[in-house]
Amino acid sequence: MDTKKRIDQLSTELLRHQYLYNVKNEPEISDLEYDRLFDELLNLEEQNPQYASENSPTKRVGSDLDNTFPEKEHTIPVLSLDKEYTGEGLEKWVAKTMGKAGKNIGFVVEEKIDGASIVLYYKMGRLDNALTRGNGLVGNDVTENIRTIKQIPLITGETSDFAVRGEIFISKSDFENYNRKFENRYSNPRNLAAGSLRNIKSSVVAQIPMNILVYEGYFRENTANDHISILRRLKDLNFKINPNTAFFCADSESVSLTKNKFPEIATGSIDELSAYVKERMKTRETLDYDIDGLVIKINEIDVRENLGYTSHHPRWATAFKFDAPTAQTIVENIRIQVGRNGRVTPVATLKPVRIAGSTVSRATLHNQEYIEILELGTGDRVDISKRGDIIPAVDKVIDKNSENPSVFKFPGTCPFCLSVLIKDGAHHFCKNRECPERIKRSIIYFVAKDQMDIDTIGKKTIDFLFSKGFIKNIPDIYKFNYDRLLQEEGYKEKKVENIKKSIEKSKTQPFSRVLAALGFDGLGKAAVSDLIKNGFDSIDKIISAAAKRDIEIFSDIEGFGETTARLLIDHFNDRENLEKIEELKKIGLNFKEEARVETGIPAVFAGQLWVITGSFENFNPRSKAAKEIEKRGGRVSTSVSSKTTHLLSGSSPGSKLEKARKQKSAIINEAQFSDMLK
Ligand code: IVH
């Protein structure tokens, strides 16, 4: 047999076995036999690359070449769904829709899979491309990654062009296993699925157990009269259809016809629809994949067309959502924030909304990948949630902005200094130390309550002083002549006096605060206190140790890794940093830890690392509790890590409690804590 023929034969055979194994769960051959055929094909393709098709079953293993995800236009409208939150609302919708149709119509109820939406385009029976939803008009081409999902047919028996909509998802159990490989980066299976679709290496994607269920088909030729027939046709083309689908109609003949066409699905008369929906709500937790509701669709295609569409959703379908979301609002703007250490954080400005007792108007978007996973743009309606005491997060786009749908593009350069942003891990960084925004942020950090506590100059005042050029760096805080402000609007004598007083007072802050206030990467409060405890109780000692450039001097300190040690050596050999320190020393700031005043309190918390969360009756603000811990030789940190030994947990503790439990830290409540202090 000639090589090309054999390659075609093997491809067809292997694709059939992939389908039998992955979709039908009815393999016909052993794994060993399968591998033998697969290897034969792989060999032939390697030796005869001119015959290797892009839809070959060998493409399922992906490639190590970097993928790009160019934008492509959808050729079908990719609309969203209207929604109902109550059984009553749903019943009304069904009655209203039946009235509009003017005849007995059938309703198909499907699960609303909570995954990543995908549109598959087939040409001459072969998968041509796969696009994400994007803004509904234009999506990202993720075809190479989609090819690795073995439940998706690459070649079908349908010769005319068609498109399929479906949901890519990962089962709950697979999520638990695989998220670990990504250092638990993804908060739920949906985000892992959406993130994986955009992984630049398809060979990595091939390792992730992604799955698909398809729910809409758009055929060019021999289009069916009803949705059930379309699902039937898709199933016959080897697509995976959700068996948890049901059909309801007042016309019993229509019910039995449907039963014949698609025996796997449940059927019933129209007045059984509500009870079915309620029952499915209850059994939701028993599924091994996430659903966030049900979708109720009209079966008849002609009725669908008559009812038509809004710019955002079809009038012939609605989603019945299980949970009223924590809060919904509109993203008014997306801005890029640059922190003092250059880390770039995209932030959404929201239309203010009440959530869990407070008004929220901003939410973090973490990083570029997060925005891409959400496919988020300005004007979109979103679900937001607030977990623990962290800043609220945007969880999901519910509706794209209908007038001007877009997906936010991460800038290539820093919006404040125009230097090129550099990606390091999950985040982008502005590496320009002269960046005005970074400098301004470092000043804001320096004066903040937890650092030098200069409470008369907050963010607004610094914005002003900085924009006027009065203060250009940290030492300027102490060098500027504040009497100059009397010429500015809103600065009366009293106010200026107060500023001068609090700046003077800040000079008495202890060395530990001064050092942490300088905001060097890796040198937070906890690290500073470790340094001091290990004998590095003056800046001179630290600088001369760093000058030796011996990592071990610092990495030997308990709790310090090599990374922190390296950072310290860099910071304290840097000329600019040393000049800044020298200047502040001259100004009179403390660069040496005063000998500890003997408190007479035994160090019962020595060696312990505490985190404090929630609110307290007798330790308000929480820093009161922190002081008590530190007085007794313990340390306090702001976030739970594997090193956390104790969590002091007040009322409304937030996510830290959960995390501390997982880390098996001791959980202490206020009463127990008060006892320990005695
Ligand atoms: S029908 C015009 N059916 O839900 C047809 N959507 O909020 C619109 N989804 O973007 C979609 N399961 O990603 C439909 N059985 C299902 C679905 C489903 C999940 C998702 C889909 C869509 C979103 C709409």
Side-chain angles (χ1 to χ4, degrees):
M1 190 188 308
D2 78 19
T3 316
K4 168 138 184 22
K5 251 202 187 138
R6 180 66 183 149
I7 286 183
D8 286 348
Q9 193 184 48
L10 282 167
S11 292
T12 317
E13 237 340 61
L14 280 162
L15 284 173
R16 192 172 74 87
H17 289 304
Q18 288 182 346
Y19 163 73
L20 289 171
Y21 183 90
N22 292 293
V23 181
K24 287 203 100 176
N25 282 328
E26 289 168 8
E28 277 176 9
I29 58 174
S30 70
D31 289 2
L32 204 70
E33 277 171 282
Y34 177 86
D35 289 346
R36 202 176 49 76
L37 293 173
F38 193 92
D39 289 342
E40 184 186 347
L41 178 61
L42 206 56
N43 264 329
L44 286 175
E45 285 181 341
E46 265 168 22
Q47 281 154 24
N48 308 278
Q50 72 275 26
Y51 298 142
S53 133
E54 56 180 18
N55 280 316
S56 160
T58 58
K59 290 291 184 295
R60 301 276 205 202
V61 296
S63 125
D64 276 329
L65 298 178
D66 279 3
N67 238 319
T68 54
F69 306 112
E71 288 184 343
K72 266 203 192 134
E73 249 175 71
H74 283 289
T75 52
I76 59 164
V78 186
L79 297 176
S80 202
L81 288 167
D82 203 6
K83 47 205 139 319
E84 298 293 340
Y85 289 104
T86 62
E88 206 177 90
L90 180 64
E91 278 169 30
K92 272 196 190 142
W93 181 85
V94 169
K96 183 183 78 185
T97 313
M98 278 206 286
K100 279 203 247 171
K103 63 174 181 184
N104 268 340
I105 50 173
F107 289 90
V108 180
V109 182
E110 295 168 4
E111 286 174 335
K112 188 167 185 306
I113 312 287
D114 195 11
S117 195
I118 194 81
V119 187
L120 308 171
Y121 292 95
Y122 287 79
K123 262 205 179 113
M124 316 237 289
R126 289 160 175 266
L127 177 66
D128 187 47
N129 59 71
L131 306 187
T132 64
R133 177 172 72 161
N135 63 13
L137 302 169
V138 174
N140 280 122
D141 184 336
V142 292
T143 316
E144 293 316 309
N145 287 341
I146 284 294
R147 275 192 226 285
T148 67
I149 303 176
K150 300 187 187 57
Q151 288 81 2
I152 295 178
L154 300 179
I155 301 178
T156 72
E158 175 61 51
T159 48
S160 70
D161 295 354
F162 67 99
V164 183
R165 274 192 77 173
E167 201 81 358
I168 305 285
F169 67 97
I170 290 172
S171 74
K172 293 181 195 169
S173 42
D174 283 336
F175 173 72
E176 293 304 324
N177 292 329
Y178 280 81
N179 195 30
R180 268 187 235 132
K181 299 195 176 153
F182 297 93
E183 292 154 2
N184 295 323
R185 175 134 58 100
Y186 298 95
S187 49
N188 53 46
R190 167 168 39 86
N191 284 358
L192 176 58
S196 303
L197 276 190
R198 288 177 177 71
N199 195 306
I200 56 167
K201 291 225 189 314
S202 54
S203 55
V204 174
V205 183
Q207 309 300 316
I208 298 164
M210 293 207 276
N211 213 323
I212 189 169
L213 284 168
V214 307
Y215 49 74
E216 288 287 322
Y218 306 81
F219 291 94
R220 276 269 173 79
E221 282 167 21
N222 308 320
T223 47
N225 295 328
D226 62 280
H227 184 57
I228 292 291
S229 299
I230 292 175
L231 293 181
R232 173 79 260 167
R233 187 164 173 190
L234 288 172
K235 191 169 161 75
D236 293 341
L237 291 171
N238 296 350
F239 286 95
K240 254 185 97 170
I241 307 294
N242 191 345
N244 291 338
T245 298
F247 176 81
F248 299 95
C249 187
D251 175 18
S252 57
E253 205 175 316
S254 180
V255 172
S256 60
L257 264 172
T258 300
K259 189 92 217 164
N260 285 339
K261 228 181 266 170
F262 214 133
E264 295 93 326
I265 68 173
T267 51
S269 81
I270 191 78
D271 33 70
E272 287 169 297
L273 193 152
S274 278
Y276 175 84
V277 168
K278 276 182 199 134
E279 184 55 34
R280 293 233 64 104
M281 262 174 93
K282 275 192 247 149
T283 52
R284 167 193 191 188
E285 295 305 325
T286 63
L287 298 169
D288 190 30
Y289 48 88
D290 285 325
I291 64 175
D292 56 347
L294 298 170
V295 186
I296 296 89
K297 304 173 173 176
I298 294 183
N299 190 34
E300 290 76 7
I301 305 299
D302 60 333
V303 180
R304 284 189 178 191
E305 292 316 314
N306 281 339
L307 289 178
Y309 305 81
T310 71
S311 62
H312 153 271
H313 62 259
R315 293 201 179 86
W316 45 259
T318 194
F320 178 73
K321 301 273 285 188
F322 291 151
D323 318 299
T326 11
Q328 276 189 15
T329 187
I330 307 276
V331 171
E332 290 182 333
N333 202 352
I334 298 174
R335 286 182 305 110
I336 294 296
Q337 241 177 34
V338 178
R340 61 180 205 281
N341 288 319
R343 190 208 270 194
V344 174
T345 314
V347 176
T349 316
L350 307 169
K351 191 171 164 214
V353 62
R354 298 278 301 171
I355 161 172
S358 61
T359 302
V360 168
S361 55
R362 277 153 42 92
T364 173
L365 298 170
H366 305 295
N367 53 38
Q368 178 181 24
E369 187 192 11
Y370 194 74
I371 294 181
E372 283 167 9
I373 287 176
L374 296 174
E375 300 196 313
L376 178 71
T378 304
D380 291 355
R381 175 169 285 277
V382 291
D383 267 356
I384 62 167
S385 68
K386 208 171 147 192
R387 305 195 195 95
D389 37 13
I390 341 169
I391 336 164
V394 171
D395 287 334
K396 191 175 181 180
V397 172
I398 318 174
D399 289 335
K400 292 299 295 177
N401 175 353
S402 53
E403 273 156 35
N404 184 16
S406 65
V407 175
F408 180 76
K409 284 258 162 30
F410 219 73
T413 55
C414 170
F416 303 97
C417 71
L418 301 181
S419 57
V420 173
L421 297 179
I422 311 283
K423 192 161 187 228
D424 189 353
H427 297 279
H428 281 79
F429 290 84
C430 166
K431 300 270 183 186
N432 174 16
R433 296 176 54 177
E434 307 293 314
C435 173
E437 183 67 11
R438 287 186 56 178
I439 296 174
K440 191 172 88 185
R441 291 274 165 187
S442 71
I443 299 172
I444 294 172
Y445 181 79
F446 184 85
V447 303
K449 192 171 173 6
D450 282 353
Q451 282 70 248
M452 299 301 276
D453 194 14
I454 309 179
D455 59 356
T456 50
I457 48 176
K459 186 175 174 307
K460 259 204 187 137
T461 312
I462 289 176
D463 271 339
F464 174 75
L465 296 171
F466 198 77
S467 70
K468 284 275 184 179
F470 294 156
I471 288 184
K472 297 198 187 74
N473 52 39
I474 290 173
D476 281 352
I477 300 172
Y478 297 95
K479 286 156 70 181
F480 177 58
N481 177 6
Y482 290 87
D483 289 335
R484 166 73 182 73
L485 287 178
L486 292 169
Q487 298 166 29
E488 303 290 336
E489 211 189 293
Y491 288 90
K492 301 251 164 62
E493 221 156 288
K494 177 101 182 112
K495 188 164 173 183
V496 172
E497 277 315 303
N498 282 339
I499 293 180
K500 289 204 260 181
K501 248 193 245 159
S502 68
I503 287 179
E504 219 25 58
K505 192 176 141 217
S506 78
K507 290 186 185 167
T508 62
Q509 291 285 14
F511 172 52
S512 56
R513 279 211 180 213
V514 175
L515 185 54
L518 292 173
F520 294 133
D521 220 3
L523 255 191
K525 257 192 200 169
V528 166
S529 110
D530 284 342
L531 265 179
I532 293 175
K533 267 191 212 134
N534 282 275
F536 295 99
D537 55 2
S538 74
I539 200 77
D540 294 339
K541 284 189 190 167
I542 297 173
I543 292 173
S544 54
K548 294 185 186 134
R549 294 185 184 272
D550 176 359
I551 302 258
E552 280 180 17
I553 298 182
F554 294 118
S555 65
D556 279 351
I557 297 176
E558 207 191 302
F560 276 32
E562 242 184 58
T563 323
T564 314
R566 259 179 233 284
L567 283 171
L568 284 185
I569 291 179
D570 288 349
H571 296 324
F572 296 104
N573 277 295
D574 179 88
R575 203 174 49 95
E576 271 175 51
N577 286 345
L578 296 179
E579 278 172 14
K580 190 174 8 174
I581 290 168
E582 201 48 42
E583 220 174 324
L584 291 169
K585 232 186 199 178
K586 279 199 193 118
I587 289 163
L589 268 56
N590 281 321
F591 277 98
K592 193 174 176 352
E593 189 74 349
E594 297 293 313
R596 258 183 185 278
V597 225
E598 205 38 73
T599 54
I601 300 174
V604 283
F605 292 169
Q608 299 176 359
L609 180 58
W610 289 67
V611 171
I612 308 174
T613 184
S615 44
F616 300 88
E617 228 161 83
N618 298 311
F619 303 98
N620 190 10
R622 293 193 291 224
S623 55
K624 278 193 182 167
K627 280 205 186 103
E628 296 299 333
I629 294 168
E630 279 162 358
K631 260 196 237 164
R632 289 162 179 77
R635 287 188 298 127
V636 180
S637 135
T638 47
S639 56
V640 176
S641 73
S642 57
K643 290 175 191 136
T644 308
T645 56
H646 293 71
L647 180 83
L648 176 56
S649 175
S651 53
S652 319
S655 64
K656 284 176 187 168
L657 178 59
E658 202 42 47
K659 216 169 160 194
R661 271 207 186 110
K662 276 196 194 137
Q663 304 284 1
K664 306 224 178 338
S665 320
I667 315 284
I668 310 293
N669 65 26
E670 181 164 1
Q672 292 165 326
F673 184 65
S674 300
D675 278 347
M676 289 167 89
L677 298 184
K678 288 175 202 154

